Amino acid sequence: MQALAVFPSEKRLQLVDIPQPKLQDATGVLLRVHEVGLCGTDREISSFEYGSPPPGSDRLILGHESLAEVVEVGRRVHSLRPGDLVVAIVRRPCTDAECRPCRAGRSDFCVTGHFTERGIKQADGFLTEYTLDDEEYLVKVPKALADVAVLIEPLTVVSKAAVQARAILDRLPYEPGLQRGLVLGAGPVGLLGAMVLVANGYETVVYSREPEGGDKAKLVHSLGASYVSAASQPIETLAEQTGEFDVIFEAVGVALVMMAASRLLRANGVAVLTGIPAEGAATEIVVGRSLRDLVLKNQAVFGTVNAGRRDYLSAIQQLEQFMILFPESVRRLITHRLPLADAARTLTRTDGIKSVVQLNMDAA
Ligand SMILES: [Zn+2]
Ligand SMILES: [Zn+2]
């Protein structure tokens, strides 16, 4: 069977032929992969900036945004059966006995950095026809969500951010009135973030590079949110046009935009950062005002990465809610569906929103 693999030391990305895996472990699950979403992380790995093969291998099979069908289960697997649809948790625990988060089943909060991630760091991914996993890392997905369930993994990042933002907002000793939310960035994660804000009753603004009137702006409008283009409105003066925000969800990964986020907050507001800026490039900014506001206005800014099982379960619930509120908008997030043979080429394109690789198309 075929798989898409990156060979980092040779700077090569290509389809490889690998043997079909066989179920061995009592808690193992044999999976037939249905769909794999592609994202910026895959683009970074396939341009050799990031990612590492499993120990002893010279190649890493790509793909972490999975949707698969259970084909066969080990004798000690009780929660899954053949025919079930599942999404795999990406990050896997480190082996350090002292790592409390990993030992508590929350490797997304790992403190050693020695975790592995399927399709990213020292563990093969899902861009292949069949693969093995362990029951412990699989989350069952309702079949009604099949056509959009590949969005669950990127949505888990938003779900985890939302749980933490809520914990911070819960510190406020009063009932907030109508709350305003801002999303920075209109990629898949930003747009899913906008959906979470809208679904929770926030008056929502999405701010991104793309022009007003473009496809992303239209999708934002279809949610009942507003769109402001960075082309017509510098971020420094955004709050003058739109007002300030109680919650800001950043999904851009540009240092200057991330630094600007806290200056757009209302008193007592919270800004969540999820983009990963490049290191290096020095930028000159005046931080005094941001830090003063942070203190004098009881504001909070925090970063979040990855997600644990709880966030996968909450992402599934959120996706079910989205499919009641704005099903067509959710479907429009997936702009390209393509076969494995075209995946490598697709990793170089940046148009559309979410590209999804379909596998086993004749089996489906
Ligand atoms: Zn991703
Ligand atoms: Zn750990």
Side-chain angles (χ1 to χ4, degrees):
M1 61 173 196
Q2 290 200 306
L4 183 65
V6 62
F7 294 75
S9 56
E10 300 162 42
K11 297 208 184 307
R12 194 152 56 84
L13 172 72
Q14 72 170 79
L15 283 176
V16 291
D17 256 311
I18 57 170
Q20 190 165 319
K22 287 202 171 54
L23 192 61
Q24 285 165 340
D25 297 343
T27 57
V29 179
L30 177 65
L31 299 170
R32 178 188 292 130
V33 182
H34 280 200
E35 292 191 326
V36 176
L38 302 177
C39 74
T41 301
D42 300 301
R43 271 177 220 110
E44 278 178 26
I45 297 171
S46 50
S47 52
F48 319 106
E49 291 164 38
Y50 195 64
S52 45
S57 173
D58 59 345
R59 55 125 177 97
L60 170 75
I61 297 176
L62 274 170
H64 59 275
E65 301 182 0
S66 65
L67 174 66
E69 179 192 338
V70 174
V71 177
E72 195 186 343
V73 298
R75 60 186 164 78
R76 283 176 49 210
V77 172
H78 300 298
S79 65
L80 297 171
R81 59 185 62 194
D84 283 348
L85 280 185
V86 292
V87 171
I89 296 171
V90 174
R91 189 181 283 186
R92 309 301 164 90
C94 71
T95 54
D96 192 326
E98 306 288 308
C99 185
R100 284 167 168 265
C102 284
R103 301 293 70 80
R106 286 306 299 262
S107 54
D108 56 313
F109 285 107
C110 176
V111 292
T112 67
H114 298 144
F115 53 81
T116 61
E117 289 174 334
R118 288 205 62 172
I120 303 172
K121 184 174 180 278
Q122 298 174 328
D124 279 331
F126 296 89
L127 273 173
T128 180
E129 291 160 70
Y130 291 84
T131 189
L132 292 172
D133 213 326
D134 196 278
E135 179 184 25
E136 188 184 347
Y137 304 118
L138 298 171
V139 183
K140 193 170 155 178
V141 174
K143 291 212 167 105
L145 290 180
D147 64 332
V148 290
V150 71
L151 297 170
I152 289 170
E153 196 282 334
L155 181 55
T156 61
V157 176
V158 188
S159 300
K160 180 177 171 181
V163 168
Q164 296 174 91
R166 200 166 304 129
I168 297 170
L169 291 167
D170 278 349
R171 82 201 188 289
L172 299 177
Y174 61 91
E175 271 303 309
L178 174 65
Q179 292 191 285
R180 307 189 68 238
L182 170 68
V183 173
L184 298 171
V189 172
L191 292 168
L192 288 166
M195 290 181 181
V196 170
L197 285 169
V198 170
N200 283 285
Y202 280 74
E203 188 182 297
T204 304
V205 175
V206 176
Y207 178 83
S208 192
R209 280 182 312 190
E210 296 79 8
E212 329 253 353
D215 287 347
K216 287 182 176 175
K218 282 185 194 141
L219 201 147
V220 168
H221 291 306
S222 75
L223 305 173
S226 350
Y227 183 85
V228 179
S229 171
S232 58
Q233 177 67 51
I235 192 155
E236 292 73 22
T237 51
L238 178 62
E240 287 161 29
Q241 193 204 329
T242 61
E244 291 172 334
F245 300 91
D246 303 285
V247 172
I248 297 177
F249 180 79
E250 179 275 337
V252 181
V254 174
L256 278 174
V257 174
M258 297 172 82
M259 290 303 298
S262 72
R263 296 200 301 275
L264 302 168
L265 279 178
R266 269 183 183 167
N268 309 332
V270 52
V272 192
L273 308 179
T274 73
I276 303 172
E279 289 180 42
T283 39
E284 211 171 295
I285 45 162
V286 180
V287 294
R289 197 190 129 200
S290 302
L291 295 175
R292 275 175 65 93
D293 278 3
L294 218 54
V295 174
L296 296 175
K297 296 183 179 176
N298 297 293
Q299 294 165 339
V301 179
F302 73 95
T304 182
V305 69
N306 216 268
R309 176 175 286 273
R310 180 189 65 180
D311 308 310
Y312 279 75
L313 296 173
S314 124
I316 290 170
Q317 283 182 354
Q318 278 172 326
L319 193 56
E320 285 177 320
Q321 190 190 13
F322 296 170
M323 291 307 280
I324 293 167
L325 293 172
F326 27 69
E328 279 321 303
S329 311
V330 178
R331 291 195 181 98
R332 275 163 57 198
L333 288 173
I334 300 173
T335 44
H336 301 92
R337 279 192 156 95
L338 49 124
L340 183 60
D342 294 343
R345 212 174 324 139
T346 303
L347 282 164
T348 58
R349 70 195 281 177
T350 51
D351 60 327
I353 301 173
K354 174 63 75 185
S355 292
V356 169
V357 180
Q358 292 186 300
L359 297 112
N360 293 298
M361 282 161 84
D362 9 298

